[in-house]
Amino acid sequence: MRIGRLSEVTGVSRRLLRYYEEQGLIVSQRCANGYRDYDEQTVDRVLQVRGLLDAGLPTRIIKQILPCLDKPRNIVFSDATREMLATLEAELDRMTRRIECLARNRDAIADYLGEVRAHARADVA
């Protein structure tokens, strides 16, 4: 698929897609006319990259952990600096806290909806 279609499907601008490619986060093949051509798996990769960036990870660390997101895995430990490990540990803790918060909020909304629906059914009956 061409860059315009990838942008449309993922909601990521063409400019950012080119940046991801420059950073080695995604790859494309070049058509005879020079246009970029991405395979279907690139959609998932872009969404993974976007999620990791939204979580606050820098592209240099994302590039290192991307192999962990695919199977079979080809994890390279030689680039794992203390700084990177500390960053990932802090990010993991932050994500865990965020997930717990989201789960509490989800449960509260579900409880609220349940009560509202029960009250609405009682009013109808």
Side-chain angles (χ1 to χ4, degrees):
M1 90 180 61
R2 294 215 178 120
I3 195 168
R5 179 71 180 138
L6 183 60
S7 173
E8 182 181 304
V9 170
T10 61
V12 174
S13 72
R14 293 174 189 202
R15 184 172 148 255
L16 274 177
L17 293 172
R18 286 189 287 273
Y19 173 75
Y20 294 171
E21 192 170 342
E22 287 171 12
Q23 296 301 307
L25 303 175
I26 62 174
V27 296
S28 69
Q29 302 299 316
R30 291 293 181 144
C31 298
N33 59 8
Y35 289 173
R36 289 175 170 88
D37 185 47
Y38 299 93
D39 61 28
E40 291 295 323
Q41 292 83 4
T42 306
V43 171
D44 290 334
R45 178 52 51 103
V46 168
L47 296 175
Q48 288 172 329
V49 168
R50 190 73 249 148
L52 292 168
L53 285 168
D54 289 346
L57 290 175
T59 56
R60 67 182 169 77
I61 291 178
I62 292 172
K63 184 176 180 179
Q64 290 177 296
I65 66 170
L66 280 176
C68 300
L69 303 176
D70 291 330
K71 293 183 181 175
R73 294 178 180 188
N74 181 22
I75 300 173
V76 178
F77 295 103
S78 61
D79 295 339
T81 65
R82 286 184 180 165
E83 175 194 38
M84 182 185 113
L85 295 176
T87 299
L88 290 175
E89 287 172 358
E91 191 55 39
L92 182 61
D93 290 342
R94 192 185 70 75
M95 286 178 172
T96 299
R97 288 191 307 274
R98 180 75 176 135
I99 289 167
E100 290 166 352
C101 178
L102 288 170
R104 283 191 309 273
N105 290 340
R106 179 203 58 216
D107 294 346
I109 290 170
D111 290 345
Y112 178 80
L113 280 172
E115 290 295 322
V116 169
R117 289 176 178 152
H119 184 68
R121 284 192 296 269
D123 287 345
V124 172

